[in-house]
Amino acid sequence: MLNQEKGASMNEKQAMEYIEKTNQIGSILGLESIRELLIRLGNPQDELKFVHIAGTNGKGSTLAYISTILRVSGYKVGRYISPTIVSYYERIQINERPIAKTKFASYLEKISLIINDMVEDGLSHPTSFEIETALGFLYFRDKKCDIVVLETGMGGALDATNIIKNTIATVFASISMDHMQFLGNTLEEIAKNKVGIIKDGCYVITTSQEKSVMKCLQDESKIHGCTFLLSDYLSLKKVKSKINKQTFTYEGFKELEISLNGRHQIENATLAISCIKALNLYGFKISEESIRKGLKETVWNGRFSVIGEKPIFIVDGAHNEDAAKRLAESIAFYFTNRKIIYIMGVLKDKEYVKIIEQTYSYAEQIITVTIPNNPRGMQAYDLAKEIKEFHNCVTVADSLQEAVEMSYLLADKNTVIVAFGSLSYLGELIGIVQERDKIRRDTHGK
Protein backbone atom coordinates (compact mmCIF):
# COMPACT_ATOMS: atom_id res chain seq x y z
CA MET A 1 0.00 0.00 0.00
CA LEU A 2 1.04 3.58 -0.63
CA ASN A 3 3.13 4.92 2.28
CA GLN A 4 3.17 8.56 3.31
CA GLU A 5 6.55 9.73 4.58
CA LYS A 6 6.65 11.54 7.91
CA GLY A 7 7.33 15.23 7.46
CA ALA A 8 6.16 15.21 3.81
CA SER A 9 3.12 17.36 3.14
CA MET A 10 0.41 15.66 1.07
CA ASN A 11 -1.05 17.70 -1.79
CA GLU A 12 -4.41 17.25 -3.55
CA LYS A 13 -2.99 15.05 -6.34
CA GLN A 14 -1.24 12.78 -3.85
CA ALA A 15 -4.43 12.56 -1.77
CA MET A 16 -6.40 11.27 -4.76
CA GLU A 17 -3.61 8.85 -5.68
CA TYR A 18 -3.67 7.52 -2.12
CA ILE A 19 -7.47 6.99 -2.22
CA GLU A 20 -7.32 5.37 -5.69
CA LYS A 21 -4.61 2.98 -4.53
CA THR A 22 -6.61 2.14 -1.41
CA ASN A 23 -9.68 1.46 -3.56
CA GLN A 24 -7.92 -1.74 -4.68
CA ILE A 25 -8.64 -3.23 -1.25
CA GLY A 26 -12.34 -3.24 -2.20
CA SER A 27 -15.23 -3.52 0.26
CA ILE A 28 -14.69 -5.35 3.54
CA LEU A 29 -17.59 -5.52 6.00
CA GLY A 30 -16.61 -5.34 9.65
CA LEU A 31 -15.72 -2.73 12.28
CA GLU A 32 -12.33 -3.93 13.55
CA SER A 33 -10.19 -1.81 11.23
CA ILE A 34 -12.14 1.45 11.53
CA ARG A 35 -12.45 0.97 15.30
CA GLU A 36 -8.66 0.79 15.63
CA LEU A 37 -8.15 3.74 13.28
CA LEU A 38 -10.61 5.91 15.22
CA ILE A 39 -9.12 4.94 18.59
CA ARG A 40 -5.75 6.18 17.33
CA LEU A 41 -7.45 9.38 16.11
CA GLY A 42 -9.05 10.02 19.51
CA ASN A 43 -12.56 8.77 18.66
CA PRO A 44 -13.88 12.05 17.18
CA GLN A 45 -17.26 10.41 16.42
CA ASP A 46 -17.99 10.17 20.16
CA GLU A 47 -18.19 13.98 20.33
CA LEU A 48 -20.93 14.19 17.66
CA LYS A 49 -24.68 13.57 17.47
CA PHE A 50 -26.13 11.67 14.50
CA VAL A 51 -29.13 10.96 12.34
CA HIS A 52 -28.22 7.60 10.78
CA ILE A 53 -29.96 6.60 7.55
CA ALA A 54 -30.14 3.16 5.94
CA GLY A 55 -32.18 1.64 3.11
CA THR A 56 -31.81 0.40 -0.43
CA ASN A 57 -33.39 3.28 -2.35
CA GLY A 58 -34.27 6.79 -1.22
CA LYS A 59 -31.80 7.16 1.65
CA GLY A 60 -29.77 9.86 -0.14
CA SER A 61 -32.82 11.98 -1.00
CA THR A 62 -34.15 11.56 2.56
CA LEU A 63 -30.76 12.66 3.90
CA ALA A 64 -30.85 15.72 1.64
CA TYR A 65 -34.30 16.75 2.90
CA ILE A 66 -33.38 16.27 6.58
CA SER A 67 -30.04 18.06 6.38
CA THR A 68 -31.43 20.98 4.36
CA ILE A 69 -34.29 21.50 6.83
CA LEU A 70 -31.79 21.47 9.71
CA ARG A 71 -29.50 23.92 7.89
CA VAL A 72 -32.43 26.28 7.21
CA SER A 73 -33.25 26.04 10.95
CA GLY A 74 -29.85 27.55 11.75
CA TYR A 75 -27.92 24.42 12.73
CA LYS A 76 -24.42 23.54 11.56
CA VAL A 77 -25.05 20.25 9.77
CA GLY A 78 -22.50 17.66 8.70
CA ARG A 79 -23.54 15.57 5.72
CA TYR A 80 -21.86 12.29 4.78
CA ILE A 81 -22.93 10.58 1.55
CA SER A 82 -21.78 8.02 -1.00
CA PRO A 83 -21.52 7.61 -3.89
CA THR A 84 -21.20 11.14 -5.26
CA ILE A 85 -21.94 12.40 -8.75
CA VAL A 86 -20.39 15.78 -9.53
CA SER A 87 -17.33 15.82 -7.24
CA TYR A 88 -15.54 13.29 -5.05
CA TYR A 89 -15.43 15.87 -2.24
CA GLU A 90 -19.24 16.05 -2.02
CA ARG A 91 -19.20 13.01 0.25
CA ILE A 92 -18.14 15.21 3.20
CA GLN A 93 -20.11 18.46 3.53
CA ILE A 94 -21.06 21.06 6.11
CA ASN A 95 -24.22 23.02 5.35
CA GLU A 96 -24.04 21.63 1.82
CA ARG A 97 -20.54 22.97 1.16
CA PRO A 98 -18.09 20.17 0.27
CA ILE A 99 -14.82 19.89 2.17
CA ALA A 100 -12.04 21.91 0.49
CA LYS A 101 -9.50 19.85 -1.49
CA THR A 102 -6.60 21.25 0.54
CA LYS A 103 -8.41 20.52 3.81
CA PHE A 104 -9.13 16.95 2.67
CA ALA A 105 -5.45 16.42 1.79
CA SER A 106 -4.37 17.81 5.17
CA TYR A 107 -6.64 15.44 7.09
CA LEU A 108 -5.71 12.49 4.88
CA GLU A 109 -2.01 13.14 5.51
CA LYS A 110 -2.61 12.81 9.26
CA ILE A 111 -4.69 9.64 8.81
CA SER A 112 -2.20 8.03 6.39
CA LEU A 113 0.62 8.32 8.94
CA ILE A 114 -1.52 6.57 11.55
CA ILE A 115 -2.36 3.87 8.99
CA ASN A 116 1.38 3.37 8.38
CA ASP A 117 1.75 2.65 12.10
CA MET A 118 -1.21 0.26 12.03
CA VAL A 119 0.29 -1.72 9.15
CA GLU A 120 3.70 -1.79 10.89
CA ASP A 121 1.90 -3.25 13.92
CA GLY A 122 0.61 -6.09 11.72
CA LEU A 123 -2.95 -4.77 11.39
CA SER A 124 -5.04 -4.59 8.21
CA HIS A 125 -4.95 -1.47 6.05
CA PRO A 126 -8.35 0.30 6.27
CA THR A 127 -10.46 0.48 3.10
CA SER A 128 -11.04 3.79 1.29
CA PHE A 129 -14.60 3.94 2.70
CA GLU A 130 -13.28 3.47 6.25
CA ILE A 131 -10.70 6.21 5.68
CA GLU A 132 -13.30 8.61 4.26
CA THR A 133 -15.65 7.88 7.15
CA ALA A 134 -12.95 8.54 9.75
CA LEU A 135 -11.88 11.70 7.94
CA GLY A 136 -15.48 12.93 7.92
CA PHE A 137 -15.79 12.39 11.67
CA LEU A 138 -12.57 14.34 12.31
CA TYR A 139 -13.68 17.22 10.09
CA PHE A 140 -17.19 17.41 11.60
CA ARG A 141 -15.76 17.30 15.14
CA ASP A 142 -13.19 20.01 14.44
CA LYS A 143 -15.83 22.24 12.83
CA LYS A 144 -18.14 21.70 15.83
CA CYS A 145 -21.17 20.46 13.89
CA ASP A 146 -24.42 20.51 15.87
CA ILE A 147 -25.55 17.31 14.19
CA VAL A 148 -24.35 14.95 11.43
CA VAL A 149 -26.74 13.31 8.96
CA LEU A 150 -24.98 10.10 8.07
CA GLU A 151 -25.76 7.70 5.21
CA THR A 152 -24.69 4.07 5.53
CA GLY A 153 -22.65 2.48 2.76
CA MET A 154 -24.11 -0.77 1.47
CA GLY A 155 -25.17 -2.38 4.74
CA GLY A 156 -25.93 -1.69 8.36
CA ALA A 157 -24.58 -3.76 11.25
CA LEU A 158 -21.09 -4.17 9.77
CA ASP A 159 -20.99 -0.91 7.83
CA ALA A 160 -18.11 1.40 8.77
CA THR A 161 -20.55 4.17 9.69
CA ASN A 162 -22.02 1.92 12.42
CA ILE A 163 -19.07 2.66 14.69
CA ILE A 164 -21.03 5.63 16.08
CA LYS A 165 -22.71 5.65 19.52
CA ASN A 166 -24.63 8.92 19.80
CA THR A 167 -27.52 8.24 17.43
CA ILE A 168 -30.59 10.41 18.04
CA ALA A 169 -32.65 9.05 15.15
CA THR A 170 -32.28 6.00 12.94
CA VAL A 171 -34.13 6.40 9.65
CA PHE A 172 -35.06 3.63 7.21
CA ALA A 173 -35.87 4.42 3.60
CA SER A 174 -37.27 1.67 1.36
CA ILE A 175 -35.50 -1.67 1.88
CA SER A 176 -35.36 -4.05 -1.09
CA MET A 177 -33.00 -6.51 -2.79
CA ASP A 178 -29.46 -5.23 -3.51
CA HIS A 179 -25.83 -6.13 -2.65
CA MET A 180 -26.92 -9.74 -2.09
CA GLN A 181 -23.32 -11.01 -2.28
CA PHE A 182 -22.65 -9.08 0.95
CA LEU A 183 -25.98 -8.73 2.75
CA GLY A 184 -27.94 -11.92 2.10
CA ASN A 185 -30.17 -13.57 -0.49
CA THR A 186 -33.56 -12.83 1.06
CA LEU A 187 -35.31 -9.62 2.04
CA GLU A 188 -35.34 -10.76 5.68
CA GLU A 189 -31.55 -11.30 5.70
CA ILE A 190 -30.96 -7.88 4.16
CA ALA A 191 -33.34 -6.22 6.66
CA LYS A 192 -31.62 -7.94 9.62
CA ASN A 193 -28.30 -6.52 8.43
CA LYS A 194 -29.65 -2.99 7.99
CA VAL A 195 -31.47 -2.83 11.37
CA GLY A 196 -28.08 -3.37 13.02
CA ILE A 197 -27.65 0.42 13.09
CA ILE A 198 -30.43 0.83 15.70
CA LYS A 199 -29.01 2.04 19.05
CA ASP A 200 -30.48 1.89 22.55
CA GLY A 201 -33.15 4.52 23.20
CA CYS A 202 -33.00 6.28 19.83
CA TYR A 203 -35.97 7.19 17.66
CA VAL A 204 -36.59 4.72 14.83
CA ILE A 205 -38.40 6.20 11.83
CA THR A 206 -39.38 4.22 8.76
CA THR A 207 -41.33 4.56 5.57
CA SER A 208 -43.79 1.80 4.63
CA GLN A 209 -41.98 -1.52 4.18
CA GLU A 210 -42.75 -5.10 3.20
CA LYS A 211 -44.39 -7.02 6.08
CA SER A 212 -41.29 -9.08 6.92
CA VAL A 213 -39.08 -5.95 6.92
CA MET A 214 -41.52 -4.02 9.13
CA LYS A 215 -41.59 -6.87 11.68
CA CYS A 216 -37.79 -6.92 11.74
CA LEU A 217 -37.68 -3.15 12.37
CA GLN A 218 -40.32 -3.30 15.12
CA ASP A 219 -38.68 -6.26 16.87
CA GLU A 220 -35.24 -4.63 16.87
CA SER A 221 -36.71 -1.31 18.09
CA LYS A 222 -38.37 -3.10 21.01
CA ILE A 223 -35.12 -4.87 21.96
CA HIS A 224 -33.33 -1.49 22.15
CA GLY A 225 -36.14 0.37 23.93
CA CYS A 226 -36.66 2.76 21.02
CA THR A 227 -39.57 5.01 20.11
CA PHE A 228 -40.90 3.64 16.81
CA LEU A 229 -42.46 6.04 14.29
CA LEU A 230 -44.05 5.13 10.95
CA SER A 231 -44.13 7.74 8.21
CA ASP A 232 -47.70 7.33 6.98
CA TYR A 233 -47.29 7.90 3.25
CA LEU A 234 -50.88 6.73 2.68
CA SER A 235 -52.26 9.74 4.58
CA LEU A 236 -51.10 12.12 1.85
CA LYS A 237 -53.70 14.46 0.39
CA LYS A 238 -53.98 16.93 -2.50
CA VAL A 239 -50.92 15.63 -4.38
CA LYS A 240 -50.08 17.63 -7.50
CA SER A 241 -47.06 16.76 -9.62
CA LYS A 242 -45.32 18.37 -12.54
CA ILE A 243 -41.68 18.52 -13.57
CA ASN A 244 -39.55 20.31 -10.94
CA LYS A 245 -42.52 21.07 -8.67
CA GLN A 246 -44.71 18.82 -6.54
CA THR A 247 -47.14 19.86 -3.80
CA PHE A 248 -48.96 17.80 -1.18
CA THR A 249 -50.66 17.98 2.22
CA TYR A 250 -49.32 15.75 5.00
CA GLU A 251 -50.18 15.42 8.70
CA GLY A 252 -51.41 18.98 9.20
CA PHE A 253 -48.87 20.57 6.85
CA LYS A 254 -50.88 22.08 4.00
CA GLU A 255 -49.52 22.42 0.46
CA LEU A 256 -45.89 21.54 1.10
CA GLU A 257 -43.69 21.94 -1.99
CA ILE A 258 -40.66 19.98 -3.20
CA SER A 259 -38.54 20.48 -6.31
CA LEU A 260 -37.40 16.87 -6.73
CA ASN A 261 -39.18 14.77 -9.37
CA GLY A 262 -40.95 11.42 -9.06
CA ARG A 263 -43.81 10.43 -6.78
CA HIS A 264 -41.37 8.44 -4.63
CA GLN A 265 -39.70 11.75 -3.70
CA ILE A 266 -42.88 12.73 -1.89
CA GLU A 267 -42.55 9.50 0.11
CA ASN A 268 -38.94 10.42 0.95
CA ALA A 269 -40.06 13.93 1.96
CA THR A 270 -42.71 12.55 4.35
CA LEU A 271 -40.07 10.27 5.89
CA ALA A 272 -37.85 13.33 6.43
CA ILE A 273 -40.74 15.23 8.06
CA SER A 274 -41.29 12.33 10.47
CA CYS A 275 -37.58 12.43 11.38
CA ILE A 276 -37.74 16.19 11.94
CA LYS A 277 -40.70 15.67 14.30
CA ALA A 278 -38.57 13.20 16.27
CA LEU A 279 -35.70 15.71 16.44
CA ASN A 280 -38.12 18.32 17.77
CA LEU A 281 -39.18 15.85 20.50
CA TYR A 282 -35.50 15.35 21.32
CA GLY A 283 -34.97 19.09 21.81
CA PHE A 284 -34.04 20.60 18.44
CA LYS A 285 -36.09 23.66 17.51
CA ILE A 286 -37.37 23.32 13.94
CA SER A 287 -40.36 25.42 12.89
CA GLU A 288 -42.99 24.71 10.25
CA GLU A 289 -41.55 27.60 8.25
CA SER A 290 -38.12 25.89 8.25
CA ILE A 291 -39.68 22.59 7.19
CA ARG A 292 -41.43 24.29 4.27
CA LYS A 293 -38.35 26.26 3.20
CA GLY A 294 -36.03 23.28 3.62
CA LEU A 295 -38.20 20.91 1.56
CA LYS A 296 -38.48 23.45 -1.26
CA GLU A 297 -34.74 24.20 -1.29
CA THR A 298 -33.60 20.57 -1.24
CA VAL A 299 -31.47 19.57 -4.23
CA TRP A 300 -30.35 16.00 -4.94
CA ASN A 301 -28.54 15.43 -8.24
CA GLY A 302 -28.98 12.31 -10.34
CA ARG A 303 -32.44 11.28 -9.16
CA PHE A 304 -34.81 11.90 -12.06
CA SER A 305 -33.01 15.22 -12.49
CA VAL A 306 -33.72 17.41 -15.52
CA ILE A 307 -30.39 18.61 -16.95
CA GLY A 308 -31.59 19.76 -20.39
CA GLU A 309 -34.71 20.97 -22.21
CA LYS A 310 -35.98 20.73 -25.82
CA PRO A 311 -35.40 17.83 -25.77
CA ILE A 312 -35.84 17.13 -22.06
CA PHE A 313 -32.74 15.29 -20.80
CA ILE A 314 -33.09 13.38 -17.52
CA VAL A 315 -30.49 11.49 -15.46
CA ASP A 316 -31.42 8.92 -12.84
CA GLY A 317 -29.34 6.55 -10.71
CA ALA A 318 -31.70 3.56 -11.11
CA HIS A 319 -29.21 0.79 -10.35
CA ASN A 320 -31.41 -2.04 -9.01
CA GLU A 321 -34.84 -3.55 -9.62
CA ASP A 322 -36.76 -1.39 -7.15
CA ALA A 323 -35.16 1.86 -8.38
CA ALA A 324 -35.81 0.82 -12.01
CA LYS A 325 -39.46 0.20 -11.17
CA ARG A 326 -39.72 3.70 -9.69
CA LEU A 327 -38.01 5.19 -12.74
CA ALA A 328 -40.49 3.41 -15.04
CA GLU A 329 -43.41 4.73 -12.96
CA SER A 330 -42.07 8.29 -13.23
CA ILE A 331 -41.61 8.01 -17.02
CA ALA A 332 -45.17 6.69 -17.40
CA PHE A 333 -46.55 9.43 -15.12
CA TYR A 334 -44.77 12.45 -16.60
CA PHE A 335 -44.26 11.48 -20.23
CA THR A 336 -47.22 9.51 -21.55
CA ASN A 337 -47.21 9.25 -25.37
CA ARG A 338 -43.79 10.91 -25.70
CA LYS A 339 -40.88 9.49 -27.68
CA ILE A 340 -38.34 8.15 -25.16
CA ILE A 341 -34.63 7.47 -25.80
CA TYR A 342 -32.51 5.69 -23.19
CA ILE A 343 -28.80 5.84 -22.48
CA MET A 344 -27.92 2.86 -20.28
CA GLY A 345 -24.73 1.96 -18.43
CA VAL A 346 -24.65 -0.64 -15.66
CA LEU A 347 -22.30 -2.44 -13.32
CA LYS A 348 -21.90 -6.13 -14.13
CA ASP A 349 -22.45 -7.19 -10.49
CA LYS A 350 -25.95 -5.66 -10.45
CA GLU A 351 -29.22 -7.35 -11.46
CA TYR A 352 -29.15 -5.69 -14.86
CA VAL A 353 -31.68 -8.09 -16.41
CA LYS A 354 -34.28 -7.02 -13.84
CA ILE A 355 -33.45 -3.36 -14.54
CA ILE A 356 -34.02 -4.00 -18.26
CA GLU A 357 -37.29 -5.86 -17.61
CA GLN A 358 -38.69 -2.95 -15.59
CA THR A 359 -37.80 -0.23 -18.09
CA TYR A 360 -37.41 -1.44 -21.69
CA SER A 361 -41.05 -1.09 -22.81
CA TYR A 362 -41.07 2.72 -22.56
CA ALA A 363 -38.11 3.30 -24.90
CA GLU A 364 -38.21 3.73 -28.65
CA GLN A 365 -34.41 3.53 -28.88
CA ILE A 366 -31.79 2.35 -26.34
CA ILE A 367 -28.12 3.37 -26.47
CA THR A 368 -25.67 1.39 -24.33
CA VAL A 369 -22.40 2.68 -22.85
CA THR A 370 -19.48 1.21 -20.95
CA ILE A 371 -19.01 3.02 -17.63
CA PRO A 372 -15.59 4.72 -17.89
CA ASN A 373 -12.75 3.94 -15.49
CA ASN A 374 -14.65 1.33 -13.52
CA PRO A 375 -13.58 -2.34 -13.60
CA ARG A 376 -17.07 -3.31 -12.40
CA GLY A 377 -18.63 -1.67 -15.47
CA MET A 378 -20.39 -3.96 -17.94
CA GLN A 379 -19.21 -3.64 -21.53
CA ALA A 380 -21.67 -1.73 -23.73
CA TYR A 381 -21.71 -4.57 -26.28
CA ASP A 382 -22.59 -7.17 -23.62
CA LEU A 383 -25.33 -4.95 -22.22
CA ALA A 384 -26.75 -4.45 -25.72
CA LYS A 385 -26.89 -8.24 -26.20
CA GLU A 386 -28.91 -8.59 -23.00
CA ILE A 387 -31.31 -5.78 -23.99
CA LYS A 388 -31.88 -7.31 -27.44
CA GLU A 389 -33.64 -10.21 -25.69
CA PHE A 390 -36.39 -7.66 -24.91
CA HIS A 391 -36.02 -4.78 -27.40
CA ASN A 392 -34.91 -4.67 -31.04
CA CYS A 393 -33.73 -1.03 -31.32
CA VAL A 394 -30.41 -1.06 -29.46
CA THR A 395 -27.21 0.77 -30.40
CA VAL A 396 -23.75 0.53 -28.83
CA ALA A 397 -21.88 3.81 -28.24
CA ASP A 398 -18.09 3.86 -28.02
CA SER A 399 -18.06 6.65 -25.42
CA LEU A 400 -20.36 8.81 -23.29
CA GLN A 401 -19.71 11.70 -25.69
CA GLU A 402 -20.89 9.59 -28.63
CA ALA A 403 -23.95 8.41 -26.68
CA VAL A 404 -25.00 11.99 -25.92
CA GLU A 405 -24.49 13.12 -29.53
CA MET A 406 -26.34 10.06 -30.84
CA SER A 407 -29.30 10.67 -28.52
CA TYR A 408 -29.63 14.29 -29.70
CA LEU A 409 -29.46 13.22 -33.34
CA LEU A 410 -32.31 10.74 -32.77
CA ALA A 411 -34.41 13.26 -30.83
CA ASP A 412 -36.70 16.13 -31.71
CA LYS A 413 -37.74 18.90 -29.32
CA ASN A 414 -40.59 16.81 -27.88
CA THR A 415 -38.42 13.74 -27.19
CA VAL A 416 -37.34 12.75 -23.68
CA ILE A 417 -33.80 11.37 -23.22
CA VAL A 418 -33.23 9.35 -20.03
CA ALA A 419 -29.74 8.27 -18.91
CA PHE A 420 -29.68 5.72 -16.08
CA GLY A 421 -28.37 2.39 -14.77
CA SER A 422 -25.58 3.48 -12.41
CA LEU A 423 -24.75 6.68 -10.56
CA SER A 424 -21.05 6.23 -11.29
CA TYR A 425 -21.11 7.60 -14.84
CA LEU A 426 -23.76 10.30 -14.48
CA GLY A 427 -21.40 13.04 -13.28
CA GLU A 428 -19.28 12.81 -16.43
CA LEU A 429 -22.38 12.59 -18.63
CA ILE A 430 -23.92 15.67 -16.97
CA GLY A 431 -20.69 17.56 -17.73
CA ILE A 432 -20.87 16.54 -21.41
CA VAL A 433 -24.50 17.70 -21.73
CA GLN A 434 -23.79 21.00 -19.95
CA GLU A 435 -20.72 21.69 -22.15
CA ARG A 436 -22.78 20.91 -25.26
CA ASP A 437 -25.50 23.33 -24.12
CA LYS A 438 -22.91 26.04 -23.39
CA ILE A 439 -21.39 25.71 -26.88
CA ARG A 440 -24.87 25.88 -28.43
CA ARG A 441 -25.75 29.02 -26.42
CA ASP A 442 -22.44 30.70 -27.30
CA THR A 443 -22.93 29.84 -30.97
CA HIS A 444 -26.61 30.68 -31.34
CA GLY A 445 -27.00 33.22 -28.57
CA LYS A 446 -29.76 31.30 -26.79
Side-chain angles (χ1 to χ4, degrees):
M1 196 48 59
L2 196 151
N3 289 319
Q4 179 66 15
E5 295 178 13
K6 290 182 180 178
S9 182
M10 185 180 279
N11 60 35
E12 299 158 30
K13 184 172 180 289
Q14 289 169 326
M16 283 298 94
E17 286 173 352
Y18 187 94
I19 291 295
E20 285 167 15
K21 188 97 179 217
T22 309
N23 278 336
Q24 295 171 17
I25 296 172
S27 298
I28 301 171
L29 292 180
L31 302 179
E32 294 82 6
S33 192
I34 191 166
R35 181 178 286 114
E36 180 63 27
L37 176 58
L38 286 167
I39 287 170
R40 296 183 185 218
L41 288 168
N43 282 322
Q45 76 282 3
D46 291 348
E47 299 175 49
L48 297 163
K49 292 184 175 74
F50 296 93
V51 171
H52 204 182
I53 305 178
T56 308
N57 295 304
K59 60 183 176 179
S61 305
T62 304
L63 176 148
Y65 285 124
I66 293 168
S67 56
T68 304
I69 291 168
L70 284 165
R71 188 258 303 162
V72 165
S73 300
Y75 292 102
K76 182 179 274 193
V77 187
R79 183 191 272 197
Y80 184 70
I81 61 174
S82 64
T84 57
I85 293 179
V86 177
S87 163
Y88 170 86
Y89 300 97
E90 288 177 315
R91 64 199 59 214
I92 299 168
Q93 304 177 31
I94 294 177
N95 287 354
E96 292 149 59
R97 293 175 65 91
I99 186 171
K101 294 177 183 179
T102 50
K103 185 69 72 176
F104 181 89
S106 173
Y107 276 100
L108 186 58
E109 178 185 348
K110 177 180 180 179
I111 290 170
S112 68
L113 295 174
I114 289 173
I115 290 172
N116 287 351
D117 292 339
M118 285 174 62
V119 173
E120 284 175 12
D121 291 342
L123 301 172
S124 298
H125 195 295
T127 66
S128 55
F129 185 69
E130 289 168 335
I131 293 167
E132 291 154 359
T133 303
L135 196 154
F137 292 154
L138 267 180
Y139 181 60
F140 298 143
R141 191 273 312 273
D142 289 353
K143 293 295 184 180
K144 296 181 168 53
C145 286
D146 298 308
I147 190 166
V148 175
V149 190
L150 183 69
E151 181 184 357
T152 62
M154 72 174 76
L158 300 177
D159 187 83
T161 62
N162 201 33
I163 200 73
I164 62 173
K165 295 177 182 175
N166 305 322
T167 303
I168 300 170
T170 306
V171 181
F172 292 93
S174 173
I175 295 173
S176 59
M177 302 296 286
D178 199 11
H179 297 298
M180 282 82 79
Q181 69 272 39
F182 294 103
L183 306 182
N185 293 312
T186 68
L187 201 52
E188 289 83 356
E189 287 174 347
I190 290 170
K192 282 175 183 173
N193 190 301
K194 291 186 184 290
V195 300
I197 68 170
I198 293 174
K199 302 293 188 294
D200 290 348
C202 72
Y203 292 91
V204 174
I205 306 104
T206 183
T207 190
S208 298
Q209 307 279 2
E210 293 285 343
K211 226 177 238 182
S212 60
V213 174
M214 191 65 78
K215 184 179 185 308
C216 190
L217 286 166
Q218 289 170 329
D219 289 349
E220 195 71 13
S221 298
K222 199 174 289 183
I223 289 167
H224 289 277
C226 299
T227 301
F228 185 85
L229 301 171
L230 173 63
S231 172
D232 188 10
Y233 177 62
L234 297 177
S235 71
L236 282 169
K237 296 176 182 174
K238 298 182 179 178
V239 177
K240 296 178 182 175
S241 299
K242 59 183 182 181
I243 286 292
N244 294 340
K245 181 180 178 181
Q246 301 192 80
T247 58
F248 58 96
T249 294
Y250 178 69
E251 290 190 352
F253 296 105
K254 294 182 179 178
E255 294 187 8
L256 295 166
E257 181 181 333
I258 60 173
S259 304
L260 302 187
N261 297 309
R263 294 297 282 266
H264 58 282
Q265 290 297 357
I266 299 177
E267 179 181 351
N268 297 334
T270 61
L271 179 58
I273 292 167
S274 297
C275 176
I276 293 298
K277 285 185 172 183
L279 292 176
N280 266 329
L281 290 171
Y282 179 84
F284 283 81
K285 299 188 186 308
I286 305 157
S287 66
E288 179 176 338
E289 182 186 357
S290 293
I291 291 171
R292 289 183 176 279
K293 191 168 188 289
L295 288 174
K296 190 174 180 179
E297 288 185 9
T298 297
V299 175
W300 193 238
N301 291 324
R303 279 71 174 184
F304 212 73
S305 303
V306 178
I307 62 167
E309 297 179 0
K310 295 183 181 178
I312 291 174
F313 202 123
I314 287 171
V315 293
D316 188 87
H319 63 285
N320 56 39
E321 183 180 12
D322 188 51
K325 184 179 178 183
R326 292 180 179 216
L327 171 61
E329 288 169 354
S330 293
I331 291 169
F333 180 79
Y334 288 109
F335 302 120
T336 305
N337 299 324
R338 298 279 286 271
K339 178 182 176 181
I340 311 289
I341 296 170
Y342 287 166
I343 297 174
M344 281 186 71
V346 300
L347 300 177
K348 57 192 173 189
D349 54 5
K350 294 290 183 179
E351 292 189 301
Y352 48 81
V353 173
K354 291 184 177 178
I355 296 171
I356 296 164
E357 286 175 337
Q358 291 290 343
T359 55
Y360 78 91
S361 62
Y362 296 96
E364 185 170 306
Q365 179 80 34
I366 302 174
I367 302 165
T368 62
V369 295
T370 304
I371 295 170
N373 307 314
N374 192 327
R376 293 167 59 205
M378 189 174 191
Q379 291 297 310
Y381 177 77
D382 294 333
L383 178 57
K385 272 173 58 177
E386 295 288 344
I387 295 170
K388 281 175 182 174
E389 296 292 320
F390 302 88
H391 198 293
N392 57 12
C393 290
V394 187
T395 307
V396 176
D398 290 333
S399 65
L400 297 188
Q401 183 81 46
E402 183 179 73
V404 169
E405 293 304 329
M406 202 182 291
S407 67
Y408 276 111
L409 284 170
L410 292 166
D412 58 40
K413 66 179 182 180
N414 295 315
T415 299
V416 180
I417 303 167
V418 185
F420 69 100
S422 173
L423 283 166
S424 55
Y425 79 97
L426 296 185
E428 186 174 339
L429 184 135
I430 290 168
I432 291 167
V433 173
Q434 289 175 340
E435 181 62 24
R436 187 184 187 280
D437 284 351
K438 181 179 181 298
I439 292 168
R440 182 179 58 81
R441 286 194 304 272
D442 291 346
T443 304
H444 300 288
K446 60 180 181 178

